[in-house]
Amino acid sequence: MNISLTQLRALKAISTQESITSAAKSLNMTQPAVSIQLKNLQEQFEVPLTEIIGKRIHITEFGQELVDMADRIFDEVDQIEQKMLELKGLLAGKIRISAVSTGKYIIPYLMADFMKLHPHVEISLEVSNRHSVLAHLQENTTDLALISVSPPNDVAFDSITLEENKWYLACAPEHATKFQAEIDTNNWEKIPFILREKGSGTRVKMEEFFNERDIKVDSKLELATNEAVKQAVMAGLGASILSNFSMSQEIEDNRITLLKYPDLPMKAMWKLIWLKQKKHSPAVLAFIRWISENKKSVFQAHFNTFDE
């Protein structure tokens, strides 16, 4: 039996993409090259690794067992590569980070200088809503999570506090006078509101704010990302609550105006969190240490968090 890592990577990509074409793109290979790798791998087994159902290629039960074994092999290979770099005095390894939607405006700056110092470290970043980010953390499919609404109390986390996050009530400049007048006369239902989807930290903060003050709002638009909400606000579709980190440039360019109301902005702290019992790799530990030591300078250098 002569199985290569390239063959196993091809099988793993096919199991994920359910398409040889998509698998080829993910591997930066041609479609015929991936097909050949799969064919050469299949010839070494008497049972099928894949099957065609409809127009998609699926992994058989035995094929999935092989993919699971391949994952363990890839982990071992990564550890060998990491050990070789460590012998040269270089830091290596993988860091998996999940960030809430608004966190995408922050996390690249927290990663950039660290990656310049440690070019052999690989960082994967997934951006999702708060519910999904916390689920990934508890399922151990990510090492670190960036959030700004506190995690639940039933799971033990460690964390680094980074910077204050502020949520403002925002609209397009052409609606500012009208919307502010409706707010001042407590006619919130006359303002079309744009909401984030349920499960997002911004939606949690928004509902807390309105429920605590018995404010009823009218909303016919719910969007899945902070960026989509911001674009809808700028397009004049209504008002919404947005983080200062997501719209500082748009305010400076007069594409978004802030509305005034007591107790706004809402405030919370950005935090980088991880499971308390998690045993981190040297790369993750180095990243946590670097963030702890450099967070202040990063925020001062890259963010203009305007005053209310």
Coordinates of all heavy atoms in Angstrom, one line a residue, residues 31 48 75 90 100 174 232:
Q31 N -8.9 20.4 -11.5 CA -9.9 19.3 -11.3 C -9.3 17.9 -11.8 O -9.5 17.0 -11.0 CB -11.1 19.7 -12.1 CG -12.2 18.6 -11.9 CD -13.5 19.0 -12.6 OE1 -13.8 20.2 -12.8 NE2 -14.4 18.1 -12.8
P48 N -15.5 1.1 -1.9 CA -15.5 2.4 -2.4 C -15.3 3.5 -1.3 O -15.8 3.3 -0.2 CB -16.9 2.6 -3.0 CG -17.7 1.5 -2.3 CD -16.8 0.4 -2.0
D75 N -2.3 16.1 11.8 CA -1.9 16.7 13.1 C -0.5 16.3 13.4 O 0.3 17.1 13.9 CB -2.9 16.3 14.2 CG -4.3 17.0 14.1 OD1 -4.3 18.1 13.4 OD2 -5.3 16.5 14.6
L90 N 12.4 29.0 16.1 CA 11.3 29.7 15.5 C 10.0 29.2 16.1 O 9.8 28.0 16.4 CB 11.3 29.5 14.0 CG 12.5 30.0 13.3 CD1 12.5 29.6 11.8 CD2 12.6 31.5 13.4
V100 N -16.9 37.5 16.8 CA -18.3 38.0 16.4 C -18.2 38.9 15.3 O -17.1 39.5 14.9 CB -19.0 38.7 17.7 CG1 -19.2 37.6 18.8 CG2 -18.1 39.8 18.2
E174 N -29.7 62.2 6.2 CA -31.0 62.8 5.7 C -32.2 62.5 6.6 O -33.2 63.2 6.5 CB -31.3 62.4 4.2 CG -31.5 60.9 4.0 CD -30.2 60.2 3.6 OE1 -29.1 60.6 4.0 OE2 -30.3 59.1 3.0
A232 N -27.3 49.1 5.1 CA -28.8 49.5 5.0 C -29.0 50.8 5.7 O -29.9 51.6 5.2 CB -29.6 48.4 5.7

